[in-house]
Amino acid sequence: MSFVLVLCLVTSTASANSKENNDPFKDKRMHVQIVLFDGFDLLDALAPYEVFAAAGMYSKGAVTVELVSAEGKRSVPSGLNGPALEAQAALDPKRPGIILVPGASGKPAGNSEDAIPNILKKAMKTGLSEKLKQAFNNEEVIVATVCGGTLLPAMGGLLKDRHAVTNQIGMEALGSLGAIPIEARVVEDGPRFVSGGGVTSGLDVALYLIDRELGPQIANAVEKLFEYEKRGTVWRAEGIAPINFNEN
């Protein structure tokens, strides 16, 4: 083998190693699974999906995102007779990354089949309940919830004594299920659980996680693309607690 050929091979290998070492996203690659169930809310699911997909575009694929269901690949109808979305795979609670759970879309109360409480109860009778439990027990998984999606892990007993937020109409139910309801747009209870309040808070939950996991430059690029700036302070049980003037 000639000296020139050896030199070329060494230079090529060094160049490849240099590029790999200079990759700012090498240790920050993240996969996001967005869970669909019958009657899910479209905006709860698709707003975060677009944020994560755009983050993947700006980070050379450091973020990947897919739609999943507890049952596996299938067509999943959204609530209020909305369009169905295709779940691409089964929810895998063992896979490191983020699992995002949306809420339901339907009547806010009542006993009809299309009432949100019944849609959520039906979802918890599937394999979703056990898979959420596995996800919460997996140290390599971040669980995020949007709107009424926070009630799903709460119904499974996974939010006992944990700070969380859901849609305002579900806050009383959230407390009755053992969680500590916090009136904030986004609530972080430890690094592995983040919840969002109303239906549009899915944008803020996703942008916060992108900022936290990949940094502010990618988050800012997505905000500029969407012409939207993340709303609200992310609440954490840190710092000085404010005085409650309603207490005697």
Side-chain angles (χ1 to χ4, degrees), residues 185-210:
R185 188 162 177 82
V186 178
V187 173
E188 180 182 76
D189 187 294
R192 293 184 44 246
F193 177 57
V194 177
S195 56
V199 62
T200 57
S201 68
L203 287 167
D204 306 294
V205 168
L207 282 167
Y208 170 66
L209 288 170
I210 290 300

Side-chain angles (χ1 to χ4, degrees), residues 20-57:
E20 184 177 338
N21 292 334
N22 290 332
D23 182 358
F25 304 111
K26 179 184 176 184
D27 298 320
K28 295 185 178 180
R29 300 196 178 277
M30 179 172 66
H31 184 69
V32 183
Q33 300 178 78
I34 297 181
V35 181
L36 304 181
F37 54 86
D38 290 3
F40 74 93
D41 186 279
L42 281 166
L43 187 58
D44 284 2
L46 292 183
Y49 184 98
E50 289 210 34
V51 170
F52 289 124
M57 175 180 69

Side-chain angles (χ1 to χ4, degrees), residues 27-244:
D27 298 320
K28 295 185 178 180
R29 300 196 178 277
M30 179 172 66
H31 184 69
V32 183
Q33 300 178 78
I34 297 181
V35 181
L36 304 181
F37 54 86
D38 290 3
F40 74 93
D41 186 279
L42 281 166
L43 187 58
D44 284 2
L46 292 183
Y49 184 98
E50 289 210 34
V51 170
F52 289 124
M57 175 180 69
Y58 280 118
S59 62
K60 297 182 180 179
V63 180
T64 52
V65 56
E66 66 177 340
L67 301 175
V68 299
S69 79
E71 298 82 6
K73 183 177 176 62
R74 69 182 182 98
S75 179
V76 186
S78 61
L80 293 176
N81 296 314
L85 294 182
E86 187 73 19
Q88 300 157 290
L91 169 60
D92 183 0
K94 297 179 181 179
R95 183 170 186 174
I98 296 173
I99 292 176
L100 186 139
V101 185
S105 181
K107 296 174 183 175
N111 292 317
S112 62
E113 186 177 348
D114 59 350
I116 289 176
N118 286 331
I119 294 173
L120 296 177
K121 288 177 184 176
K122 183 179 178 181
M124 288 301 286
K125 291 179 180 177
T126 68
L128 179 58
S129 178
E130 179 58 30
K131 291 193 174 187
L132 283 178
K133 182 178 179 180
Q134 293 176 33
F136 270 84
N137 289 332
N138 187 343
E139 294 291 333
E140 295 184 300
V141 169
I142 298 164
V143 177
T145 59
V146 177
C147 199
T150 308
L151 292 171
L152 287 169
M155 291 164 69
L158 301 174
L159 298 187
K160 183 173 175 54
D161 298 327
R162 301 195 69 169
H163 304 94
V165 65
T166 185
N167 187 291
Q168 59 178 349
I169 63 175
M171 291 288 273
E172 184 177 347
L174 183 62
S176 70
L177 291 167
I180 304 171
I182 299 296
E183 293 185 5
R185 188 162 177 82
V186 178
V187 173
E188 180 182 76
D189 187 294
R192 293 184 44 246
F193 177 57
V194 177
S195 56
V199 62
T200 57
S201 68
L203 287 167
D204 306 294
V205 168
L207 282 167
Y208 170 66
L209 288 170
I210 290 300
D211 186 356
R212 195 185 79 177
E213 299 298 317
L214 295 185
Q217 295 185 65
I218 298 297
N220 180 252
V222 176
E223 286 183 336
K224 288 193 294 184
L225 177 67
F226 288 1
E227 296 188 4
Y228 175 86
E229 295 180 351
K230 180 170 65 68
R231 289 178 53 195
T233 299
V234 176
W235 187 97
R236 305 180 191 86
E238 300 174 357
I240 300 173
I243 296 171
N244 184 352

